[in-house]
Amino acid sequence: MKCYASKYCKKFETEVCNQYCDLKIKLDAIYSESNIPERYKYEVPLYPRNDIEEFKKLKGYQETIVQFVRDGESLLISSSTTGNGKTTWATKLANQYIRKTVATSDVDNEVLFINVSMFLEQMRSAYKTEDEEFESIKERAFTCKLLILDDLGAERPSDWVLERLYDLINERYVNMRTTICTSNFSRIELAERLGMRIGSRLRDFNSVEFKESDVRGRI
């Protein structure tokens, strides 16, 4: 199994590697709780072509992510096209935060990744069944230090959906908990699609908007 700490652990590939490795145990536990897809748990290289300034801004957020989370800052990464690194960048920021704070982490309530449409569908189903696992995820979505809302705006914006999204985004906003959203809609388009209550919260998010077309084949 690949070790998340291989780049900076002095014991990596030595005789004592993996023997009572507290760092690895904590990393495994945090990643297990995070719901980050397997593909995005490791370093995925990204190379800018046209969106140089946006790339630099995200590198800056990556370098200062621990303070970013401590300050309760949030971020919207958007683009009208798919495949240009929005989800990859969101998880790169989360990975950096996890690895920079693992030594002092309490493990619980650090990072959570959710696909918005899937999360809302699970929430709807949970009203009919007693799903304790989902209830735990829902509670962490409101309270974790760093939440990734992937593909915001893709869901059909019914009244029920808008209320649930507002409750989540507003609760995190007023309690200064960091949220990173990815979307195929700009901040203005999200306000039009999801309503001004959510739009007013997103207005205070830092924002990076990619213009480049699909680069998935070049990542």
Side-chain angles (χ1 to χ4, degrees), residues 33 108-112 114 119 123 131-145 147 168 171-172 177:
E33 292 289 314
D108 295 331
N109 251 23
E110 290 290 348
V111 173
L112 180 65
I114 57 177
F119 177 76
M123 184 182 291
D131 189 338
E132 293 183 3
E133 182 178 355
F134 176 74
E135 286 302 316
S136 173
I137 292 174
K138 186 173 77 170
E139 180 179 349
R140 285 191 288 124
F142 280 86
T143 60
C144 67
K145 294 176 184 175
L147 174 68
L168 176 57
E171 176 71 13
R172 295 189 61 82
R177 298 187 178 114

Side-chain angles (χ1 to χ4, degrees), residues 49-111:
R49 296 190 65 178
N50 297 323
D51 292 320
I52 304 295
E53 291 306 313
E54 287 72 17
F55 186 89
K56 288 180 179 177
K57 284 176 67 175
L58 287 164
K59 286 292 288 184
Y61 290 132
Q62 186 179 31
E63 292 169 2
T64 60
I65 188 62
V66 175
Q67 192 62 48
F68 190 84
V69 174
R70 285 176 183 163
D71 292 343
E73 296 281 343
S74 290
L75 174 66
L76 171 64
I77 307 173
S78 64
S79 173
S80 60
T81 59
T82 61
N84 49 19
K86 296 185 296 295
T87 300
T88 301
W89 262 115
T91 51
K92 281 170 78 74
L93 296 174
N95 286 332
Q96 180 81 341
Y97 176 75
I98 289 171
R99 294 166 195 177
K100 286 286 188 180
T101 60
V102 62
T104 56
S105 171
D106 294 326
V107 177
D108 295 331
N109 251 23
E110 290 290 348
V111 173

Side-chain angles (χ1 to χ4, degrees), residues 135-179:
E135 286 302 316
S136 173
I137 292 174
K138 186 173 77 170
E139 180 179 349
R140 285 191 288 124
F142 280 86
T143 60
C144 67
K145 294 176 184 175
L146 171 55
L147 174 68
I148 296 175
L149 293 177
D150 192 45
D151 215 5
L152 180 65
E155 63 286 337
R156 187 174 65 181
S158 66
D159 289 344
W160 184 87
V161 163
L162 296 182
E163 284 299 322
R164 302 292 82 73
L165 281 178
Y166 175 76
D167 289 344
L168 176 57
I169 292 172
N170 183 64
E171 176 71 13
R172 295 189 61 82
Y173 173 84
V174 297
N175 286 292
M176 297 184 68
R177 298 187 178 114
T178 296
T179 306

